[in-house]
Each structure stands twice: as structure tokens, then as C-alpha cells.
């Protein structure tokens, strides 16, 4: 399998920044390796053009676990000898306790834990109870003006709420969201490929950042992950495990690994600017980098080969937010 020397870049939404096709995520990543290995991995990634890191303070709502993965990331970039201008940070703002926990205070704590004074972009986390989106967009704009970050996106909002935010921001002359971070994989396609989101990507210029593309490692062959992994909208995780042998057979036909096929699948989507991967070893990183060439060589053919693995079809409503396991309306 041919490895990409450096990751190509795409624009993350019409008004967003240029980012590498792969980005390294932070949840249960930096706390899964030794300090020296973390520094080497960060340096390797930046040297290969993968200079975007998704880093967050996980201590809100269902993520109230007081994780230190963000602190360890800050330590890793220091140990690697990187200057702040050498890499991009995509942070997170949580809505679970908003507005009691203000965005300004969240950014102060989060950036302080990493050891920097600004992020390059942030993702506004998902929510169960809809907040006042007028206030949300206005508060985000205040932080942009304060220089805390430049671009923002959303994590698993409904398409309708994103459209509202885009239109409100435009009407008020505020910075609109430029991208959406959505669960997207060979098995989970209903939301990112559904009509509400397709319209946002095509007509509102929104970019797509694909997350959870390996289903916590299941689509890479680790069928029973020992670490905490993402939510399971639609309750299809057992079906994903059962479908892994079919993915492996498809990968064999392309002379690739299942992880490479899973990542390449998402890269072929025209709205995808980058894919979040949670590597913790240099060998994993190289394996994931090879997915870039695989997508370039076999795009449509590869998607056809795994067409039967769409497992949330008619299970998850593409118009709903991630937290609802609501079936598609009949």
C-alpha cells in the first residue's frame, strides 16, 4: 500500500480554514500512550502535514470524567519542540451546562489546560435541550472578536438548527458556522448523506468533518474496545461488529486494511474536508495516511464495494440531532 508523504489540504467549508485531510482527535488518545511516544507522534504528524488536533476539556454532561487528555496534549507539543504556529487546534465548547457555564469561562479553562491563549476553531457540542440559538451565535461571535478562535462549527446538531444559526448570523453580520462535525462511517451514513445535510453542504457552503469513522476501533478489527467509545444512535453497534468480516473481505480486494477502507470511504464524500482519527501509535498513523491514496485511486469503486454495510438506513432520522434514536418517520 502506497503511503502519502504529506496530507493534502482542503477548505473546511466555503468560509473556513484550509485543513489537512486527516486530523488527530483527543478523546482517549493522548492518555493511551507514554509521554515520549506522544511527543514523537505529534512531531511525526506535523512533519507529515497532519497539523490539526481536535483537543477538548472533557468534564461536562455525559463527558464529566475529568479527563486529562488535553493537558497531556499540551505537554506533548511542548516535548516535541513545536511552536504554536506549527499546528492548528480545534477546541470544543459544551452546551450541557450553558449558559451557567459561559463560553468565555470554558475557553479560559480549556486553553489554560493546553497551555495556549487561542484555538484556531471550535466545535459547539451537542445538546439534549435546545438552547437559545440567538444567544449561542452571539456569544460565539464575541469570542471570535476577542481573538480566542477564528472559525466555528457544530457537533451533531440537527440540520434545522444549523440552518437557523447560519441565517441568524448572516442577518446580524456575525460569524456563521463553517463546518459540522458528524458521526460518519461506512455503517453510519443516514445523517451526513441525508437530504437536510446535503442541502447545507451544497447551498450553505458548510464543510463536513467526519468523526467516529472507525466506530471506536471496531471497524479496524478491535471488536470489543476496552476504552470508552462514542454513542450508538439507532442501537446498531452489534450489527457493525457482525458486519466486520464483510469489510475485511472488501479491504482484501483492494490490498488494503479495513481501517484504510473505512477512512477512504469518508474522504470520497464531496463535503468532507477532513477526518478525525484517534491514533496512538506511529504504525497506526502510517496505516491511516495510506487511506488518502486509496481514496484517490479507488473512490467510487470503493464506495460501491461496501454499499451493503450501510446499517443505519431507515433507523436514524437524518433530520434529527444525534441524541435521538428516533426512527425515520413513515
Amino acid at each position: 500500500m502506497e503511503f502519502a508523504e504529506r496530507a493534502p489540504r482542503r477548505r473546511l467549508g466555503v468560509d473556513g480554514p484550509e485543513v489537512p485531510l486527516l486530523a488527530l482527535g483527543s478523546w482517549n488518545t493522548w492518555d493511551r500512550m507514554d509521554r515520549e511516544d506522544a511527543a514523537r507522534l505529534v512531531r511525526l504528524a506535523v512533519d507529515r502535514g497532519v497539523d490539526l488536533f481536535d483537543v477538548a476539556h472533557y468534564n461536562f454532561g455525559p463527558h464529566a470524567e475529568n479527563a486529562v487528555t488535553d493537558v497531556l496534549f499540551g505537554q506533548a507539543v511542548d516535548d516535541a519542540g513545536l511552536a504554536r504556529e506549527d499546528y492548528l487546534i480545534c477546541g470544543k465548547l459544551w452546551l450541557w451546562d450553558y449558559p451557567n457555564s459561559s463560553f468565555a469561562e470554558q475557553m479560559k479553562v480549556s486553553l489554560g489546560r493546553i497551555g495556549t491563549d487561542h484555538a484556531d476553531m471550535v466545535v459547539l457540542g451537542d445538546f439534549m435541550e435546545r438552547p437559545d440559538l440567538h444567544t449561542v451565535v452571539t456569544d460565539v461571535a464575541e469570542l471570535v472578536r476577542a481573538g480566542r478562535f477564528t472559525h466555528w462549527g457544530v457537533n451533531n446538531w440537527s440540520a434545522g438548527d444549523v440552518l437557523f444559526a447560519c441565517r441568524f448570523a448572516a442577518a446580524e453580520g456575525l460569524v456563521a458556522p463553517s463546518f459540522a462535525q458528524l458521526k460518519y462511517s461506512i455503517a453510519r451514513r443516514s445523517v451526513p448523506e441525508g437530504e437536510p445535510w446535503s442541502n447545507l453542504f451544497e447551498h450553505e457552503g458548510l464543510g463536513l468533518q467526519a468523526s467516529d469513522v472507525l466506530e471506536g476501533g471496531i471497524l479496524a478489527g478491535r471488536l470489543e474496545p476496552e476504552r470508552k467509545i462514542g454513542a450508538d444512535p439507532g442501537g446498531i453497534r452489534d450489527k457493525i461488529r457482525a458486519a466486520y468480516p464483510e469489510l475485511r473481505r472488501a479491504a482484501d480486494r483492494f490490498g488494503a486494511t479495513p481501517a484504510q477502507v473505512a477512512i477512504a470511504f469518508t474522504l470520497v464524500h464531496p463535503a468532507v474536508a477532513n477526518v478525525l482519527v484517534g491514533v496512538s501509535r506511529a504504525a497506526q498513523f502510517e496505516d491511516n495516511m495510506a487511506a488518502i491514496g486509496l481514496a484517490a485511486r479507488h473512490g467510487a469503486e470503493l464506495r460501491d464495494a461496501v454499499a451493503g454495510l450501510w446499517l443505519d438506513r431507515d433507523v436514524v432520522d437524518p433530520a434529527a440531532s444525534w441524541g435521538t434514536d428516533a426512527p425515520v418517520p413513515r
Side-chain angles (χ1 to χ4, degrees), residues 129-142:
E129 295 184 10
R130 190 174 187 266
D132 180 352
L133 295 182
H134 305 85
T135 305
V136 167
V137 175
T138 302
D139 285 354
V140 168
E142 287 296 326

Side-chain angles (χ1 to χ4, degrees), residues 190-237:
S190 292
V191 173
E193 296 186 9
E195 183 175 334
W197 284 99
S198 296
N199 289 333
L200 285 172
F201 299 141
E202 183 176 355
H203 300 301
E204 299 296 327
L206 210 68
L208 173 56
Q209 185 179 70
S211 69
D212 212 10
V213 299
L214 297 179
E215 194 73 17
I218 292 173
L219 291 175
R222 294 182 292 279
L223 302 186
E224 299 292 341
E226 296 179 359
R227 63 184 177 89
K228 183 178 180 180
I229 63 176
D232 180 18
I236 63 169
R237 188 153 287 153

Side-chain angles (χ1 to χ4, degrees), residues 53 56 67 85 109 127 177 181 190-191 198 207 219-220 249 285 313 327:
F53 300 92
E85 60 267 23
V109 172
F127 50 83
Q181 185 184 101
S190 292
V191 173
S198 296
L219 291 175
R249 287 191 290 271
F285 176 83
R313 187 202 298 262

Side-chain angles (χ1 to χ4, degrees), residues 17 64 71 87 154 157 178 188 195 208 215 259 266 270-271 286 296 303 317 327:
V71 176
Y87 60 92
V154 301
W157 286 22
S178 59
R188 300 187 188 273
E195 183 175 334
L208 173 56
E215 194 73 17
T266 61
E286 298 292 359
R303 286 182 67 96
D317 182 356

Side-chain angles (χ1 to χ4, degrees), residues 77-116:
V77 295
D78 284 345
D79 290 349
L82 296 174
R84 180 62 183 85
E85 60 267 23
D86 293 334
Y87 60 92
L88 303 172
I89 289 178
C90 181
K92 273 196 170 67
L93 291 172
W94 301 104
L95 290 161
W96 303 106
D97 193 32
Y98 173 85
N100 295 326
S101 177
S102 71
F103 291 159
E105 181 61 25
Q106 287 187 46
M107 287 304 298
K108 178 182 178 181
V109 172
S110 178
L111 295 174
R113 287 167 63 88
I114 298 169
T116 184

Side-chain angles (χ1 to χ4, degrees), residues 35-36 38-40 42-43 72-82:
R35 179 169 177 167
E36 295 79 8
R40 281 193 289 267
V42 166
R43 169 54 72 180
L72 295 175
F73 168 77
Q75 186 181 82
V77 295
D78 284 345
D79 290 349
L82 296 174

